Amino acid sequence: MDRFLVRGGKKLKGTVHISGSKNAALPLLVATLLTDEPCTLHRVPDLRDVRTTLKILEYLGKKVTYRQNTVTVEANGPLKNNLPYELVKQMRASFWVAGPLLARFKQAEIPLPGGCAIGVRPVDIHLKGFEKLGAVCEVQGGNVFIRAKELNAAKIVLRFPSVGATQNLLMCASLVPGETVLENVAKEPEIDDVISFLNKMGARIHTDEKGRLIIQGVEVLHGAEHTVVADRIESGSYMLVAAATRSDVMVADCVPEHNAILLEDLKEAGFTLEVGTDFVHVHAYEGDIKPLRIRTAPYPGFATDLQAPWMTLMTLCNGTAEVDEDIFENRFMHAPELVRMGAQIVTEKSVARVTGVKALSAAHVQASDLRGGFALVMAGLCASGETEVERVYHVDRGYEKLEEKLTALGADIRRYNPDKDEF
Ligand code: EPZ
């Protein structure tokens, strides 16, 4: 398996161009199942999870082409309405095909997505929503069988603003006759991106003054073309790399307001940022990094996907910071690896207390999940010496051209596979 070798302790400089959002691209690709007409998506990041989703679309019966970040999806005969465990276990978001398949074929058979390193990650909110629309959901042998004689519009109140459940139910309801109301929905920008694409396909979805999603179901959805929104987690991750390595970096082609909370927290921690319409310029800052207390929350709160890189920054703060992970129950796996690099972190249930140190030291560490893996690469960039990060396949899920982008900023990072490469 590939590893990264990072020789850190250097300042970075230059511009990093942000790619299309992984967490928008995945549901956008799934939404193409709602029509038999051709769809084109631009700025689709070349990531492991995107490749997995393309495989899922092909398995279900679509013809897919992918060239220079543009994906075309076309009908290629009748669609299947089931998925094999092999595909679902690689990526939990594959469960989101349930909504479109149920809407079009009134049935879907999808393996329950297992948990993952960061938590159990149930899908009860998805299933309750499908039941409200008139479906029967049965779990048997690790699979969910979802069936409906007919689907009817409903008022659905999500017990928690789950991103995936909002996406799944939104896609399903777009083809259910009548007016469906989704309440207590997730408000992440990736949801807006999917709504904009669905409306281009002929759906009739809007947000009312109470923030509820109102979906007038339509008979059929057409093909459409769309450009994926910038990846706010990637842009936030690079802002944190710039801050932690005391570098002067321009983060370009992003949507700054999608990182509003992070920008506020970075300024409060002492950093100077210049914010434009589609860029954030992080200025080099040598002063003390002020310890803050952050708590992850649904958007527009502090993004749980930025908690790990933020923790790496706080390992260098001047005092004791607190990181409260309120979204996932086990999202501190990067903490013990950071401790191996000299960080001082004590975790207790959902709170990590981070007492800043003068410098991190290079070590051999192991990624357990996507964002935790990025946090370890970031720590390697801060620590002088050579840090080896194992299991970078986690990081490949969500950061397009990571080595190229970091190398362009002057970082010394190399990918190697001990089983293959001469070393
Ligand atoms: C999406 O996952 C993202 N993935 C995650 O990004 C992100 O961390 C998460 O939203 C929160 O923002 C994609 O968009 C592909 P949730 P999702 O449903 O939809 C619980 C990354 O690093 N829950 O909002 O799975 C759940 O266990 C990934 O890019 C239920 O209890 O997240 C969790 O504690 C990681 N029952 C919380 O809600 C349900 O039916 C948030 O989950 C659904 C969720």
Side-chain angles (χ1 to χ4, degrees), residues 231-295:
D231 192 320
R232 64 190 166 95
I233 306 302
E234 188 195 22
S235 55
S237 300
Y238 280 103
M239 289 173 209
L240 286 160
V241 162
T245 54
R246 310 310 193 126
S247 303
D248 181 307
V249 171
M250 169 69 83
V251 179
D253 308 329
C254 66
V255 182
E257 62 262 25
H258 289 168
N259 289 117
I261 283 263
L262 176 68
L263 297 179
E264 253 173 59
D265 289 342
L266 281 172
K267 285 177 195 158
E268 196 188 329
F271 294 90
T272 306
L273 310 171
E274 185 197 336
V275 181
T277 46
D278 64 353
F279 70 85
V280 172
H281 184 178
V282 181
H283 291 281
Y285 168 67
E286 296 297 349
D288 284 349
I289 298 173
K290 192 170 156 236
L292 301 188
R293 168 158 193 199
I294 65 112
R295 173 191 295 273

Coordinates of all heavy atoms in Angstrom, one line a residue, residues 231-295:
D231 N -14.7 22.6 -3.4 CA -14.7 21.7 -2.3 C -14.3 22.6 -1.0 O -13.1 22.9 -0.8 CB -13.7 20.6 -2.5 CG -13.8 19.5 -1.4 OD1 -14.0 19.9 -0.2 OD2 -13.8 18.3 -1.7
R232 N -15.2 22.8 -0.2 CA -15.0 23.7 1.0 C -14.1 23.0 2.1 O -13.4 23.6 2.9 CB -16.3 24.1 1.7 CG -17.1 23.0 2.3 CD -18.5 23.4 2.7 NE -19.3 22.3 2.9 CZ -19.5 21.7 4.1 NH1 -18.9 22.2 5.2 NH2 -20.2 20.6 4.2
I233 N -14.1 21.6 2.0 CA -13.2 20.9 3.0 C -11.8 20.9 2.5 O -10.8 21.1 3.3 CB -13.7 19.5 3.2 CG1 -15.2 19.5 3.6 CG2 -12.9 18.8 4.3 CD1 -15.6 20.3 4.9
E234 N -11.6 20.8 1.2 CA -10.3 20.9 0.6 C -9.7 22.3 0.9 O -8.6 22.5 1.3 CB -10.2 20.5 -0.9 CG -8.8 20.5 -1.4 CD -8.8 20.5 -2.9 OE1 -9.7 21.0 -3.6 OE2 -7.7 20.0 -3.5
S235 N -10.6 23.3 0.6 CA -10.1 24.7 0.7 C -9.7 25.0 2.2 O -8.6 25.5 2.5 CB -11.1 25.7 0.2 OG -12.3 25.6 0.9
G236 N -10.6 24.6 3.1 CA -10.3 24.7 4.5 C -9.1 24.0 5.0 O -8.2 24.5 5.7
S237 N -8.9 22.8 4.4 CA -7.7 22.0 4.7 C -6.4 22.7 4.3 O -5.4 22.8 5.1 CB -7.7 20.6 4.0 OG -8.9 19.9 4.4
Y238 N -6.4 23.4 3.2 CA -5.2 24.1 2.7 C -4.9 25.4 3.5 O -3.8 25.8 3.7 CB -5.2 24.3 1.2 CG -4.8 23.1 0.4 CD1 -5.8 22.3 -0.2 CD2 -3.5 22.6 0.4 CE1 -5.4 21.1 -0.9 CE2 -3.1 21.5 -0.3 CZ -4.1 20.7 -1.0 OH -3.8 19.5 -1.6
M239 N -6.0 26.0 3.9 CA -5.9 27.2 4.7 C -5.2 26.8 6.0 O -4.3 27.5 6.5 CB -7.2 27.8 5.0 CG -7.9 28.5 3.8 SD -9.6 29.0 4.3 CE -10.4 28.8 2.7
L240 N -5.6 25.6 6.5 CA -5.0 25.2 7.8 C -3.5 24.8 7.6 O -2.7 25.0 8.5 CB -5.8 24.0 8.4 CG -7.1 24.5 9.0 CD1 -8.2 23.4 9.1 CD2 -6.9 25.2 10.3
V241 N -3.2 24.2 6.4 CA -1.8 23.9 6.2 C -0.9 25.1 6.1 O 0.1 25.2 6.7 CB -1.7 23.1 4.8 CG1 -0.2 23.1 4.3 CG2 -2.2 21.7 4.9
A242 N -1.5 26.2 5.5 CA -0.7 27.4 5.4 C -0.5 28.0 6.8 O 0.6 28.4 7.1 CB -1.5 28.4 4.5
A243 N -1.6 28.0 7.6 CA -1.5 28.6 8.9 C -0.5 27.8 9.8 O 0.5 28.4 10.3 CB -2.9 28.5 9.6
A244 N -0.6 26.5 9.7 CA 0.3 25.7 10.7 C 1.8 25.7 10.3 O 2.6 25.6 11.1 CB -0.2 24.2 10.7
T245 N 2.0 25.9 8.9 CA 3.4 26.0 8.5 C 3.9 27.4 8.4 O 5.0 27.7 7.9 CB 3.6 25.3 7.1 OG1 2.7 26.0 6.2 CG2 3.3 23.8 7.1
R246 N 3.1 28.3 9.0 CA 3.5 29.8 9.0 C 3.8 30.3 7.6 O 4.8 31.0 7.4 CB 4.7 29.9 9.9 CG 4.7 29.3 11.3 CD 3.4 29.6 12.1 NE 3.4 29.3 13.5 CZ 3.2 30.2 14.5 NH1 2.9 31.4 14.2 NH2 3.2 29.8 15.8
S247 N 3.0 29.8 6.6 CA 3.3 30.2 5.2 C 2.4 31.2 4.7 O 1.3 31.5 5.2 CB 3.2 28.9 4.4 OG 4.1 27.9 4.9
D248 N 2.8 31.7 3.5 CA 2.0 32.7 2.8 C 1.5 32.0 1.6 O 2.2 31.6 0.6 CB 3.0 33.8 2.3 CG 2.2 34.9 1.5 OD1 1.5 34.5 0.6 OD2 2.3 36.1 1.9
V249 N 0.2 31.6 1.6 CA -0.4 30.8 0.6 C -1.8 31.4 0.1 O -2.6 31.8 0.9 CB -0.7 29.3 1.1 CG1 -1.5 28.5 0.1 CG2 0.6 28.6 1.4
M250 N -1.9 31.4 -1.2 CA -3.2 31.9 -1.8 C -4.0 30.6 -2.1 O -3.6 29.7 -2.8 CB -2.9 32.6 -3.1 CG -4.1 32.9 -4.0 SD -5.2 34.1 -3.2 CE -4.3 35.6 -3.8
V251 N -5.2 30.5 -1.4 CA -6.1 29.4 -1.7 C -7.1 29.9 -2.7 O -8.0 30.8 -2.4 CB -6.8 28.9 -0.4 CG1 -7.8 27.8 -0.7 CG2 -5.7 28.5 0.6
A252 N -7.0 29.5 -4.0 CA -7.8 30.1 -5.1 C -8.9 29.1 -5.6 O -8.9 27.9 -5.3 CB -6.8 30.4 -6.3
D253 N -9.8 29.7 -6.3 CA -11.0 29.0 -6.9 C -11.9 28.3 -5.8 O -12.3 27.2 -5.9 CB -10.5 27.9 -7.9 CG -9.5 28.4 -8.9 OD1 -9.7 29.6 -9.2 OD2 -8.6 27.7 -9.3
C254 N -12.0 29.0 -4.7 CA -12.9 28.5 -3.6 C -14.0 29.4 -3.4 O -14.2 30.4 -4.0 CB -12.0 28.3 -2.3 SG -11.4 29.9 -1.6
V255 N -14.9 29.1 -2.4 CA -16.0 29.9 -2.0 C -15.8 30.3 -0.6 O -16.2 29.5 0.3 CB -17.4 29.1 -2.2 CG1 -18.6 30.0 -1.9 CG2 -17.5 28.6 -3.6
P256 N -15.2 31.4 -0.3 CA -14.9 31.7 1.1 C -16.0 31.6 2.1 O -15.8 31.1 3.2 CB -14.3 33.2 1.0 CG -13.8 33.3 -0.4 CD -14.7 32.4 -1.2
E257 N -17.2 32.1 1.7 CA -18.3 32.0 2.7 C -18.7 30.6 3.1 O -19.2 30.4 4.1 CB -19.6 32.8 2.2 CG -20.3 32.3 1.0 CD -19.9 33.1 -0.2 OE1 -18.8 33.7 -0.2 OE2 -20.7 33.1 -1.2
H258 N -18.2 29.6 2.3 CA -18.5 28.2 2.7 C -17.5 27.8 3.9 O -17.7 26.8 4.5 CB -18.3 27.3 1.6 CG -19.5 27.4 0.6 ND1 -19.4 26.8 -0.7 CD2 -20.6 28.1 0.6 CE1 -20.5 27.1 -1.4 NE2 -21.3 27.9 -0.6
N259 N -16.5 28.7 4.1 CA -15.6 28.4 5.2 C -15.7 29.5 6.3 O -14.7 29.8 7.0 CB -14.1 28.4 4.7 CG -13.8 27.1 3.9 OD1 -13.5 27.2 2.7 ND2 -13.9 25.9 4.5
A260 N -16.9 30.2 6.3 CA -17.0 31.4 7.2 C -16.5 31.2 8.6 O -15.7 31.9 9.1 CB -18.4 31.8 7.2
I261 N -17.0 30.1 9.2 CA -16.6 29.8 10.6 C -15.1 29.6 10.8 O -14.4 30.2 11.7 CB -17.3 28.6 11.2 CG1 -18.8 28.9 11.4 CG2 -16.6 28.0 12.4 CD1 -19.1 29.2 12.9
L262 N -14.5 28.9 9.9 CA -13.1 28.6 9.9 C -12.3 29.9 9.8 O -11.3 30.2 10.5 CB -12.6 27.6 8.8 CG -11.1 27.4 8.8 CD1 -10.7 26.6 10.0 CD2 -10.8 26.6 7.5
L263 N -12.7 30.8 8.9 CA -12.0 32.1 8.7 C -12.1 32.9 10.0 O -11.1 33.5 10.4 CB -12.7 32.9 7.5 CG -12.6 32.2 6.1 CD1 -13.3 33.1 5.1 CD2 -11.2 31.9 5.7
E264 N -13.2 32.9 10.6 CA -13.4 33.6 11.9 C -12.4 33.1 12.9 O -11.7 33.8 13.6 CB -14.8 33.4 12.4 CG -15.7 34.6 12.3 CD -17.1 34.1 12.7 OE1 -17.3 33.7 13.9 OE2 -18.0 34.2 11.9
D265 N -12.4 31.7 13.0 CA -11.5 31.1 14.0 C -10.1 31.3 13.7 O -9.3 31.5 14.7 CB -11.8 29.6 14.1 CG -13.2 29.3 14.8 OD1 -13.7 30.3 15.4 OD2 -13.8 28.2 14.6
L266 N -9.7 31.3 12.5 CA -8.3 31.5 12.1 C -7.9 32.9 12.5 O -6.8 33.2 13.0 CB -8.0 31.2 10.6 CG -7.9 29.8 10.2 CD1 -7.8 29.6 8.7 CD2 -6.6 29.1 10.9
K267 N -8.8 33.9 12.2 CA -8.5 35.3 12.6 C -8.3 35.4 14.1 O -7.4 36.0 14.6 CB -9.5 36.2 12.0 CG -9.5 36.4 10.5 CD -10.6 37.3 10.1 CE -10.8 37.2 8.5 NZ -12.1 37.6 8.1
E268 N -9.3 34.8 14.8 CA -9.2 34.8 16.3 C -8.0 34.2 16.8 O -7.4 34.6 17.8 CB -10.5 34.2 16.9 CG -10.6 34.6 18.3 CD -11.7 33.9 19.1 OE1 -12.7 33.5 18.4 OE2 -11.6 33.7 20.3
A269 N -7.5 33.2 16.1 CA -6.2 32.5 16.6 C -5.0 33.3 16.3 O -3.9 33.0 16.8 CB -6.1 31.1 15.9
G270 N -5.2 34.4 15.5 CA -4.1 35.3 15.3 C -3.6 35.5 13.9 O -2.8 36.3 13.6
F271 N -4.3 34.8 12.9 CA -3.8 34.8 11.5 C -4.4 36.0 10.8 O -5.6 36.4 11.1 CB -4.1 33.5 10.8 CG -3.3 32.4 11.4 CD1 -3.8 31.6 12.5 CD2 -2.0 32.1 11.0 CE1 -3.1 30.6 13.1 CE2 -1.3 31.0 11.5 CZ -1.8 30.3 12.6
T272 N -3.7 36.5 9.8 CA -4.2 37.6 8.9 C -4.6 36.9 7.6 O -3.8 36.2 7.0 CB -3.1 38.6 8.7 OG1 -2.6 39.0 10.0 CG2 -3.6 39.8 7.9
L273 N -5.8 37.2 7.2 CA -6.4 36.6 6.0 C -6.9 37.7 5.1 O -7.5 38.6 5.6 CB -7.5 35.6 6.3 CG -7.3 34.6 7.4 CD1 -8.6 33.9 7.7 CD2 -6.2 33.6 6.9
E274 N -6.6 37.6 3.8 CA -7.3 38.5 2.9 C -8.3 37.7 2.1 O -8.0 36.6 1.5 CB -6.2 39.0 1.9 CG -6.6 40.1 1.0 CD -5.6 40.2 -0.2 OE1 -4.4 39.8 0.0 OE2 -6.0 40.6 -1.3
V275 N -9.6 38.1 2.2 CA -10.7 37.3 1.7 C -11.3 37.9 0.4 O -11.7 39.1 0.5 CB -11.8 37.0 2.7 CG1 -12.9 36.2 2.2 CG2 -11.2 36.4 4.0
G276 N -11.2 37.3 -0.7 CA -11.8 37.8 -2.0 C -13.0 37.1 -2.3 O -13.5 36.3 -1.5
T277 N -13.6 37.3 -3.5 CA -14.8 36.6 -3.9 C -14.5 35.1 -4.1 O -15.4 34.3 -3.8 CB -15.4 37.2 -5.2 OG1 -14.2 37.3 -6.1 CG2 -16.0 38.5 -5.0
D278 N -13.4 34.8 -4.7 CA -13.1 33.3 -4.9 C -11.7 32.9 -4.4 O -11.1 32.0 -5.0 CB -13.3 33.0 -6.4 CG -12.2 33.8 -7.3 OD1 -11.5 34.6 -6.7 OD2 -12.1 33.5 -8.5
F279 N -11.2 33.6 -3.4 CA -9.9 33.2 -2.9 C -9.8 33.6 -1.4 O -10.5 34.5 -1.0 CB -8.7 33.8 -3.7 CG -8.6 35.3 -3.5 CD1 -7.9 35.9 -2.4 CD2 -9.2 36.2 -4.4 CE1 -7.8 37.2 -2.2 CE2 -9.1 37.6 -4.2 CZ -8.4 38.1 -3.1
V280 N -8.9 32.9 -0.7 CA -8.5 33.4 0.6 C -7.0 33.4 0.6 O -6.4 32.3 0.3 CB -9.0 32.4 1.7 CG1 -8.4 32.7 3.1 CG2 -10.6 32.5 1.8
H281 N -6.4 34.5 0.9 CA -4.9 34.6 1.0 C -4.5 34.6 2.4 O -4.8 35.5 3.2 CB -4.5 35.9 0.3 CG -3.0 36.1 0.2 ND1 -2.4 37.2 -0.4 CD2 -2.0 35.3 0.6 CE1 -1.1 37.0 -0.3 NE2 -0.8 35.8 0.3
V282 N -3.8 33.5 2.8 CA -3.4 33.3 4.2 C -2.0 33.9 4.3 O -1.1 33.5 3.6 CB -3.3 31.8 4.6 CG1 -2.8 31.7 6.1 CG2 -4.7 31.2 4.4
H283 N -1.8 34.9 5.1 CA -0.5 35.6 5.2 C 0.4 34.8 6.3 O -0.2 34.3 7.2 CB -0.7 37.1 5.6 CG -1.3 37.9 4.5 ND1 -0.6 38.3 3.4 CD2 -2.6 38.2 4.3 CE1 -1.4 39.0 2.6 NE2 -2.6 38.9 3.1
A284 N 1.7 34.8 6.0 CA 2.6 34.2 7.0 C 2.5 34.9 8.3 O 2.4 36.1 8.4 CB 4.0 34.2 6.4
Y285 N 2.5 34.1 9.4 CA 2.3 34.7 10.7 C 3.2 33.9 11.7 O 3.1 32.7 11.8 CB 0.8 34.5 11.1 CG 0.6 34.8 12.6 CD1 0.7 36.1 13.2 CD2 0.1 33.7 13.5 CE1 0.4 36.3 14.5 CE2 -0.1 34.0 14.8 CZ 0.0 35.2 15.3 OH -0.3 35.5 16.7
E286 N 4.1 34.7 12.4 CA 5.1 34.0 13.2 C 4.7 34.1 14.7 O 5.4 33.6 15.6 CB 6.5 34.7 13.1 CG 7.1 34.6 11.7 CD 7.4 33.1 11.3 OE1 7.3 32.2 12.2 OE2 7.6 32.8 10.1
G287 N 3.6 34.8 15.0 CA 3.3 35.1 16.4 C 2.6 33.9 17.1 O 2.5 32.8 16.5
D288 N 2.2 34.1 18.3 CA 1.6 33.0 19.1 C 0.3 32.6 18.4 O -0.5 33.5 18.0 CB 1.3 33.5 20.5 CG 2.6 33.5 21.4 OD1 3.6 33.0 20.9 OD2 2.5 34.1 22.5
I289 N 0.0 31.3 18.4 CA -1.3 30.8 18.0 C -2.2 30.7 19.2 O -1.9 30.0 20.1 CB -1.2 29.5 17.3 CG1 -0.3 29.6 16.0 CG2 -2.6 28.9 16.9 CD1 0.1 28.3 15.4
K290 N -3.3 31.5 19.1 CA -4.2 31.5 20.3 C -5.0 30.2 20.4 O -5.6 29.8 19.4 CB -5.1 32.7 20.2 CG -5.9 33.1 21.5 CD -6.6 34.4 21.3 CE -7.8 34.5 22.3 NZ -9.1 34.7 21.6
P291 N -5.0 29.6 21.6 CA -5.8 28.4 21.7 C -7.3 28.8 21.7 O -7.7 29.7 22.4 CB -5.4 27.8 23.1 CG -4.9 29.0 23.9 CD -4.3 30.0 22.9
L292 N -8.1 28.0 21.0 CA -9.6 28.3 20.9 C -10.3 27.0 21.4 O -9.7 25.9 21.4 CB -10.0 28.6 19.5 CG -9.4 29.8 18.8 CD1 -10.1 30.1 17.5 CD2 -9.4 31.1 19.7
R293 N -11.6 27.2 21.7 CA -12.4 26.0 21.9 C -13.4 26.0 20.7 O -14.1 26.9 20.4 CB -13.2 26.2 23.2 CG -14.3 25.1 23.3 CD -14.8 24.8 24.6 NE -15.6 23.6 24.5 CZ -16.4 23.2 25.4 NH1 -16.6 24.0 26.5 NH2 -17.1 22.1 25.3
I294 N -13.3 24.8 19.9 CA -14.3 24.7 18.8 C -15.1 23.5 19.1 O -14.7 22.5 19.7 CB -13.6 24.6 17.4 CG1 -12.8 23.3 17.3 CG2 -12.8 25.8 17.1 CD1 -13.3 22.3 16.4
R295 N -16.3 23.6 18.5 CA -17.3 22.4 18.6 C -17.8 22.1 17.2 O -18.3 23.1 16.6 CB -18.4 22.8 19.6 CG -19.6 21.9 19.7 CD -20.7 22.6 20.5 NE -20.3 22.9 21.9 CZ -20.5 22.0 22.9 NH1 -21.0 20.8 22.6 NH2 -20.1 22.3 24.1

